[in-house]
Amino acid sequence: MTRLGDLERAVMDVLWDVVPGTSDGVTVREVADALEGRELAYTTVMTVLDRLAGKGMVQREREGRAWRYRPAASREAHIAQLMLDALDLGGSRDAALVRFARSVTGTEAEVLRAALGSEAEAGIAGPRSADTATGTADDALTDRVDRPVGRRPAGEAAER
């Protein structure tokens, strides 16, 4: 999976934050307006969205003379793929996984345990559901996490 530059990430953040999964997407103008404070030209935002479409990060659909854009995958699916790609960089995957597991907070460790338990149960019960296979998060697990991984509330120390 391709890593995103700063502007690409900002545009994807707008899409992930603004476009619900059932939405028809947003226009270049709507993305440019959401990037307030950056003072970007319309054509710059259009170029970034076009490049993201070429990378497979966004889907676009023609609406009259304009395009409507939406994320091709959820933010969580993108982050998970980045993590998997990092594991493929070489060295020992096992060692990297152990190091990662030791670096998460207690709450994050609980989420990982629950996810691994769900996977183990699904393996015993049979194939995963279509939603799990396509990368959508299991609601029971994602509802337990109310902040992005890696961000800790002020005053919370990492449990190692």
Side-chain angles (χ1 to χ4, degrees), residues 15-31:
L15 294 175
W16 283 321
D17 293 340
V18 172
V19 181
T22 58
S23 170
D24 290 336
V26 292
T27 63
V28 173
R29 174 60 54 208
E30 291 167 327
V31 173

PDB file of all heavy atoms in Angstrom, residues 15-31:
ATOM      1  N   LEU A  15     -12.041  13.087   3.557  1.00  0.00           N
ATOM      2  CA  LEU A  15     -12.953  12.064   3.029  1.00  0.00           C
ATOM      3  C   LEU A  15     -13.398  11.092   4.118  1.00  0.00           C
ATOM      4  O   LEU A  15     -14.575  10.747   4.212  1.00  0.00           O
ATOM      5  CB  LEU A  15     -12.301  11.309   1.872  1.00  0.00           C
ATOM      6  CG  LEU A  15     -12.032  12.126   0.615  1.00  0.00           C
ATOM      7  CD1 LEU A  15     -11.282  11.303  -0.417  1.00  0.00           C
ATOM      8  CD2 LEU A  15     -13.318  12.666   0.025  1.00  0.00           C
ATOM      9  N   TRP A  16     -12.459  10.634   4.937  1.00  0.00           N
ATOM     10  CA  TRP A  16     -12.813   9.698   6.001  1.00  0.00           C
ATOM     11  C   TRP A  16     -13.729  10.337   7.036  1.00  0.00           C
ATOM     12  O   TRP A  16     -14.612   9.686   7.575  1.00  0.00           O
ATOM     13  CB  TRP A  16     -11.558   9.162   6.681  1.00  0.00           C
ATOM     14  CG  TRP A  16     -10.840   8.108   5.897  1.00  0.00           C
ATOM     15  CD1 TRP A  16     -11.392   7.095   5.162  1.00  0.00           C
ATOM     16  CD2 TRP A  16      -9.429   7.948   5.783  1.00  0.00           C
ATOM     17  NE1 TRP A  16     -10.416   6.324   4.601  1.00  0.00           N
ATOM     18  CE2 TRP A  16      -9.196   6.814   4.965  1.00  0.00           C
ATOM     19  CE3 TRP A  16      -8.339   8.640   6.291  1.00  0.00           C
ATOM     20  CZ2 TRP A  16      -7.923   6.361   4.648  1.00  0.00           C
ATOM     21  CZ3 TRP A  16      -7.073   8.192   5.978  1.00  0.00           C
ATOM     22  CH2 TRP A  16      -6.858   7.065   5.164  1.00  0.00           C
ATOM     23  N   ASP A  17     -13.527  11.621   7.332  1.00  0.00           N
ATOM     24  CA  ASP A  17     -14.321  12.291   8.353  1.00  0.00           C
ATOM     25  C   ASP A  17     -15.675  12.778   7.835  1.00  0.00           C
ATOM     26  O   ASP A  17     -16.634  12.829   8.596  1.00  0.00           O
ATOM     27  CB  ASP A  17     -13.554  13.484   8.933  1.00  0.00           C
ATOM     28  CG  ASP A  17     -12.322  13.056   9.722  1.00  0.00           C
ATOM     29  OD1 ASP A  17     -12.249  11.880  10.140  1.00  0.00           O
ATOM     30  OD2 ASP A  17     -11.429  13.910   9.909  1.00  0.00           O
ATOM     31  N   VAL A  18     -15.745  13.133   6.562  1.00  0.00           N
ATOM     32  CA  VAL A  18     -16.942  13.763   6.022  1.00  0.00           C
ATOM     33  C   VAL A  18     -17.862  12.788   5.297  1.00  0.00           C
ATOM     34  O   VAL A  18     -19.076  12.946   5.333  1.00  0.00           O
ATOM     35  CB  VAL A  18     -16.544  14.917   5.059  1.00  0.00           C
ATOM     36  CG1 VAL A  18     -17.732  15.485   4.326  1.00  0.00           C
ATOM     37  CG2 VAL A  18     -15.827  16.004   5.827  1.00  0.00           C
ATOM     38  N   VAL A  19     -17.298  11.784   4.656  1.00  0.00           N
ATOM     39  CA  VAL A  19     -18.094  10.925   3.785  1.00  0.00           C
ATOM     40  C   VAL A  19     -18.465   9.629   4.501  1.00  0.00           C
ATOM     41  O   VAL A  19     -17.621   8.771   4.698  1.00  0.00           O
ATOM     42  CB  VAL A  19     -17.313  10.585   2.487  1.00  0.00           C
ATOM     43  CG1 VAL A  19     -18.147   9.721   1.569  1.00  0.00           C
ATOM     44  CG2 VAL A  19     -16.890  11.854   1.780  1.00  0.00           C
ATOM     45  N   PRO A  20     -19.746   9.486   4.890  1.00  0.00           N
ATOM     46  CA  PRO A  20     -20.154   8.204   5.459  1.00  0.00           C
ATOM     47  C   PRO A  20     -20.176   7.126   4.371  1.00  0.00           C
ATOM     48  O   PRO A  20     -20.240   7.448   3.179  1.00  0.00           O
ATOM     49  CB  PRO A  20     -21.559   8.475   5.997  1.00  0.00           C
ATOM     50  CG  PRO A  20     -22.034   9.694   5.301  1.00  0.00           C
ATOM     51  CD  PRO A  20     -20.817  10.456   4.840  1.00  0.00           C
ATOM     52  N   GLY A  21     -20.106   5.878   4.783  1.00  0.00           N
ATOM     53  CA  GLY A  21     -20.055   4.772   3.830  1.00  0.00           C
ATOM     54  C   GLY A  21     -21.217   4.734   2.860  1.00  0.00           C
ATOM     55  O   GLY A  21     -21.102   4.223   1.753  1.00  0.00           O
ATOM     56  N   THR A  22     -22.355   5.294   3.236  1.00  0.00           N
ATOM     57  CA  THR A  22     -23.525   5.261   2.370  1.00  0.00           C
ATOM     58  C   THR A  22     -23.648   6.502   1.497  1.00  0.00           C
ATOM     59  O   THR A  22     -24.563   6.608   0.706  1.00  0.00           O
ATOM     60  CB  THR A  22     -24.805   5.133   3.221  1.00  0.00           C
ATOM     61  OG1 THR A  22     -24.857   6.251   4.122  1.00  0.00           O
ATOM     62  CG2 THR A  22     -24.808   3.840   4.000  1.00  0.00           C
ATOM     63  N   SER A  23     -22.706   7.426   1.637  1.00  0.00           N
ATOM     64  CA  SER A  23     -22.759   8.687   0.897  1.00  0.00           C
ATOM     65  C   SER A  23     -22.368   8.501  -0.564  1.00  0.00           C
ATOM     66  O   SER A  23     -21.641   7.584  -0.925  1.00  0.00           O
ATOM     67  CB  SER A  23     -21.807   9.685   1.542  1.00  0.00           C
ATOM     68  OG  SER A  23     -21.648  10.825   0.744  1.00  0.00           O
ATOM     69  N   ASP A  24     -22.834   9.419  -1.377  1.00  0.00           N
ATOM     70  CA  ASP A  24     -22.445   9.430  -2.786  1.00  0.00           C
ATOM     71  C   ASP A  24     -21.088  10.076  -2.982  1.00  0.00           C
ATOM     72  O   ASP A  24     -20.586  10.148  -4.086  1.00  0.00           O
ATOM     73  CB  ASP A  24     -23.480  10.183  -3.622  1.00  0.00           C
ATOM     74  CG  ASP A  24     -24.789   9.426  -3.736  1.00  0.00           C
ATOM     75  OD1 ASP A  24     -24.781   8.193  -3.590  1.00  0.00           O
ATOM     76  OD2 ASP A  24     -25.823  10.079  -3.969  1.00  0.00           O
ATOM     77  N   GLY A  25     -20.500  10.576  -1.919  1.00  0.00           N
ATOM     78  CA  GLY A  25     -19.191  11.207  -2.013  1.00  0.00           C
ATOM     79  C   GLY A  25     -19.279  12.715  -1.993  1.00  0.00           C
ATOM     80  O   GLY A  25     -20.337  13.301  -1.814  1.00  0.00           O
ATOM     81  N   VAL A  26     -18.119  13.343  -2.183  1.00  0.00           N
ATOM     82  CA  VAL A  26     -18.026  14.799  -2.154  1.00  0.00           C
ATOM     83  C   VAL A  26     -17.306  15.287  -3.408  1.00  0.00           C
ATOM     84  O   VAL A  26     -16.559  14.553  -4.039  1.00  0.00           O
ATOM     85  CB  VAL A  26     -17.287  15.303  -0.895  1.00  0.00           C
ATOM     86  CG1 VAL A  26     -18.095  15.042   0.361  1.00  0.00           C
ATOM     87  CG2 VAL A  26     -15.911  14.694  -0.777  1.00  0.00           C
ATOM     88  N   THR A  27     -17.530  16.545  -3.717  1.00  0.00           N
ATOM     89  CA  THR A  27     -16.896  17.158  -4.883  1.00  0.00           C
ATOM     90  C   THR A  27     -15.542  17.751  -4.487  1.00  0.00           C
ATOM     91  O   THR A  27     -15.232  17.896  -3.297  1.00  0.00           O
ATOM     92  CB  THR A  27     -17.773  18.285  -5.453  1.00  0.00           C
ATOM     93  OG1 THR A  27     -17.893  19.311  -4.461  1.00  0.00           O
ATOM     94  CG2 THR A  27     -19.150  17.772  -5.857  1.00  0.00           C
ATOM     95  N   VAL A  28     -14.778  18.126  -5.489  1.00  0.00           N
ATOM     96  CA  VAL A  28     -13.491  18.780  -5.243  1.00  0.00           C
ATOM     97  C   VAL A  28     -13.716  20.054  -4.429  1.00  0.00           C
ATOM     98  O   VAL A  28     -12.978  20.324  -3.474  1.00  0.00           O
ATOM     99  CB  VAL A  28     -12.778  19.108  -6.582  1.00  0.00           C
ATOM    100  CG1 VAL A  28     -11.521  19.935  -6.333  1.00  0.00           C
ATOM    101  CG2 VAL A  28     -12.451  17.843  -7.344  1.00  0.00           C
ATOM    102  N   ARG A  29     -14.727  20.819  -4.776  1.00  0.00           N
ATOM    103  CA  ARG A  29     -15.018  22.064  -4.063  1.00  0.00           C
ATOM    104  C   ARG A  29     -15.296  21.794  -2.592  1.00  0.00           C
ATOM    105  O   ARG A  29     -14.810  22.504  -1.704  1.00  0.00           O
ATOM    106  CB  ARG A  29     -16.221  22.782  -4.704  1.00  0.00           C
ATOM    107  CG  ARG A  29     -16.712  24.011  -3.965  1.00  0.00           C
ATOM    108  CD  ARG A  29     -15.696  25.132  -3.806  1.00  0.00           C
ATOM    109  NE  ARG A  29     -15.141  25.537  -5.065  1.00  0.00           N
ATOM    110  CZ  ARG A  29     -13.919  26.070  -5.207  1.00  0.00           C
ATOM    111  NH1 ARG A  29     -13.149  26.255  -4.166  1.00  0.00           N
ATOM    112  NH2 ARG A  29     -13.469  26.407  -6.378  1.00  0.00           N
ATOM    113  N   GLU A  30     -16.070  20.754  -2.290  1.00  0.00           N
ATOM    114  CA  GLU A  30     -16.380  20.430  -0.897  1.00  0.00           C
ATOM    115  C   GLU A  30     -15.122  20.030  -0.125  1.00  0.00           C
ATOM    116  O   GLU A  30     -14.960  20.397   1.036  1.00  0.00           O
ATOM    117  CB  GLU A  30     -17.439  19.322  -0.836  1.00  0.00           C
ATOM    118  CG  GLU A  30     -18.807  19.788  -1.324  1.00  0.00           C
ATOM    119  CD  GLU A  30     -19.782  18.657  -1.558  1.00  0.00           C
ATOM    120  OE1 GLU A  30     -19.359  17.553  -1.960  1.00  0.00           O
ATOM    121  OE2 GLU A  30     -20.995  18.890  -1.346  1.00  0.00           O
ATOM    122  N   VAL A  31     -14.228  19.297  -0.774  1.00  0.00           N
ATOM    123  CA  VAL A  31     -12.970  18.922  -0.126  1.00  0.00           C
ATOM    124  C   VAL A  31     -12.128  20.174   0.097  1.00  0.00           C
ATOM    125  O   VAL A  31     -11.582  20.382   1.187  1.00  0.00           O
ATOM    126  CB  VAL A  31     -12.193  17.870  -0.950  1.00  0.00           C
ATOM    127  CG1 VAL A  31     -10.815  17.612  -0.352  1.00  0.00           C
ATOM    128  CG2 VAL A  31     -12.984  16.568  -1.048  1.00  0.00           C
TER     129      VAL A  31
END
